[in-house]
Amino acid sequence: MAYGHGLSLRSIPGGVNFISTYFDVPTLLDQFTTQLMHYGVTWFILNLSSFYKGDRYLAPHSILTSLNRGSTPKRIPRDEWKGHDENMALELYPDRDVLGELIMGFQRRGISVIAYLAADSPAMLKTGESQAYDYDNKSPYVDSCAVCPGLTQTLAPFCACAPSVRRWINHVRPLYNDDYPDDDNRDDDNDAETTLLLQRAFADIIVDEYAERYGGRVAGYWIDQAPCANVPLVAEVIRRYHPHAALAFNRGRRLPLTNNSPPHEDFTFGYPFWDLANYPGSHCRNFIIIPVQESTVDGYYYSSSDTDGGGTVMQTSPSLGHAFYPLLSQWSGGEYVWSVEQASEWQARFMSAGGAWTWSVRRGTSTGDGDGNGLEMMSMIAPEDVAFLQRIYAGLGAQPPYQYECDWTPSAVPSEAPLVMS
């Protein structure tokens, strides 16, 4: 990643579902090429895993696809789609690599792809087993009530487990027995050593396979829920196949921007203040990113260290200042909280200070089973968001005197009224 701006579309769910099965990549590519590309967008952050969950992916995996039914996409002819049918013979259908198709399409247009990956992992280390796609019969492709008794040593009937989580843990535990010996006197699903084991398995098995597959075809990775990951190991695995991959890890301080994961991160994860309900991206609480970015020498945040032992402080481990903001009140939905003028001004100022800016947008919605126009709509950025982005991009030439400056303390909302602070 470098100075400039990009987009994020992280609402394509992983696994087998109507959207991942029939997402029409050419529709998104055509929309982007004809309506947004000429504004200088240079990267897309796109799902490799589902958003905020690590149990389903947008590409096949040599272990997960067979281990956890319905966890990766399939190519199913439209006239054979049975939807919510646990008896659907998924194993008979070929795998689909949705992310791979997107990478190829955007690469041909000179656009970089950054893969979004949730460190939650198939063990659901962040969100918990109850949030897994197949918990308590939530998945039409997994009969939890039939499988859970055998996985939990519980008398039937018992549905309150996620077979995908249990199977993943059962699969990886024997692989690391020498390093993390089993102890029948402890809670195997919650002890610290098991967490370390599962973090290592995420890097060794999940990240490794995808990093090898995509290699240098992806520009980098944006790792969500990074406190759940072994960050040094994840970085090592990715760079084994792509030495120059740009990496960001969502952990540590949000505001103001800083280098939270030296020497492993290459750009800041860039999120605004966490409470979007009360402090949306446009709120003055987030304005601090602008003056702090403008105070950098070259747009990067460094990890300072005394490397020569003689008192000389060297600037090391540069991380590019990157702002990652929702266009609406939530990451993939809600209401518009920005005025066009404020959005343009903040983005222009941040980029003028050598920073990179990403807008998170939503996917279009469809009704019914997505026939006709519905199928097209679910495969593109929401048209309203495209129109709003076009107006923002048209105003990127904003120059001082600026109209949307704030005292960075949580006070007013500049999208409601200009605040010129002396």
Side-chain angles (χ1 to χ4, degrees):
M1 178 177 285
Y3 158 85
H5 64 103
L7 295 171
S8 171
L9 184 65
R10 298 182 296 176
S11 53
I12 308 173
V16 176
N17 54 75
F18 191 86
I19 296 169
S20 66
T21 303
Y22 301 111
F23 189 88
D24 189 57
V25 171
T27 293
L28 176 61
L29 294 173
D30 180 67
Q31 180 195 39
F32 173 76
T33 303
T34 59
Q35 300 181 42
L36 291 171
M37 186 172 171
H38 60 283
Y39 288 104
V41 177
T42 56
W43 65 81
F44 252 93
I45 299 177
L46 297 167
N47 299 89
L48 172 50
S49 71
S50 291
F51 179 58
Y52 208 68
K53 291 185 178 179
D55 54 348
R56 293 184 294 172
Y57 295 81
L58 270 293
H61 188 276
S62 61
I63 293 172
L64 280 183
T65 299
S66 57
L67 183 69
N68 292 336
R69 197 168 190 263
S71 62
T72 64
K74 293 287 186 177
R75 294 186 179 278
I76 304 173
R78 186 67 184 86
D79 60 356
E80 296 182 30
W81 176 257
K82 298 179 182 179
H84 305 292
D85 183 358
E86 64 189 32
N87 297 314
M88 192 172 191
L90 297 180
E91 295 73 18
L92 299 180
Y93 296 102
D95 296 320
R96 183 185 185 191
D97 186 345
V98 181
L99 179 61
E101 295 173 30
L102 289 163
I103 291 170
M104 182 180 296
F106 280 112
Q107 194 174 46
R108 289 173 175 171
R109 290 158 174 79
I111 305 300
S112 299
V113 168
I114 296 171
Y116 168 90
L117 190 57
D120 195 31
S121 86
M124 305 298 279
L125 291 172
K126 174 67 175 179
T127 55
E129 181 179 2
S130 65
Q131 299 303 306
Y133 75 99
D134 57 346
Y135 182 82
D136 198 11
N137 266 12
K138 284 193 296 187
S139 170
Y141 313 114
V142 181
D143 188 347
S144 301
C145 295
V147 177
C148 284
L151 292 171
T152 60
Q153 290 78 52
T154 305
L155 293 176
F158 182 71
C159 309
C161 90
S164 63
V165 174
R166 304 292 176 128
R167 284 173 173 151
W168 174 251
I169 295 174
N170 291 343
H171 174 81
V172 302
R173 188 186 301 282
L175 303 178
Y176 300 97
N177 269 345
D178 290 342
D179 297 321
Y180 308 97
D182 195 8
D183 181 348
D184 292 335
N185 296 319
R186 71 187 183 207
D187 184 345
D188 284 333
D189 292 337
N190 294 290
D191 69 274
E193 284 198 343
T194 296
T195 298
L196 294 175
L197 179 158
L198 294 170
Q199 290 176 341
R200 182 171 163 186
F202 172 67
D204 288 347
I205 301 173
I206 301 299
V207 178
D208 185 272
E209 179 165 326
Y210 288 129
E212 180 178 19
R213 177 181 305 162
Y214 298 124
R217 293 193 295 139
V218 294
Y221 294 81
W222 195 95
I223 309 296
D224 206 355
Q225 306 158 326
C228 296
N230 182 328
V231 168
L233 183 57
V234 168
E236 176 188 334
V237 168
I238 291 173
R239 292 195 167 116
R240 187 182 303 155
Y241 304 104
H242 186 1
H244 304 294
L247 304 180
F249 297 92
N250 182 2
R251 68 174 183 177
R253 192 179 77 192
R254 294 191 181 204
L255 299 171
L257 297 180
T258 189
N259 187 339
N260 284 298
S261 300
H264 309 294
E265 76 172 53
D266 300 285
F267 62 105
T268 63
F269 69 88
Y271 268 8
F273 187 70
W274 64 271
D275 185 4
L276 290 177
N278 293 303
Y279 303 98
S282 59
H283 196 278
C284 278
R285 186 157 202 158
N286 296 303
F287 178 73
I288 187 63
I289 66 168
I290 307 295
V292 170
Q293 182 68 21
E294 291 174 336
S295 71
T296 64
V297 175
D298 56 3
Y300 286 83
Y301 297 83
Y302 292 87
S303 173
S304 298
S305 61
D306 184 354
T307 58
D308 63 3
T312 301
V313 178
M314 308 294 291
Q315 296 283 62
T316 62
S317 304
S319 178
L320 178 67
H322 167 244
F324 192 172
Y325 275 59
L327 194 65
L328 294 101
S329 55
Q330 299 297 324
W331 286 107
S332 297
E335 305 295 329
Y336 290 110
V337 293
W338 299 84
S339 68
V340 170
E341 294 78 13
Q342 184 205 352
S344 295
E345 184 176 294
W346 280 23
Q347 180 178 346
R349 287 186 66 175
F350 194 84
M351 291 169 54
S352 294
W357 189 285
T358 299
W359 287 113
S360 178
V361 296
R362 59 185 162 169
R363 184 174 47 78
T365 58
S366 61
T367 57
D369 285 333
D371 289 322
N373 291 336
L375 182 60
E376 184 179 70
M377 279 292 295
M378 77 173 197
S379 303
M380 61 171 58
I381 300 169
E384 308 96 301
D385 288 4
V386 171
F388 199 71
L389 285 168
Q390 289 172 334
R391 296 171 64 198
I392 292 173
Y393 294 154
L396 286 182
Q399 299 292 327
Y402 296 118
Q403 298 300 308
Y404 294 90
E405 294 189 306
C406 310
D407 180 338
W408 79 272
T409 54
S411 52
V413 180
S415 57
E416 293 180 353
L419 292 174
V420 180
M421 309 298 291
S422 57

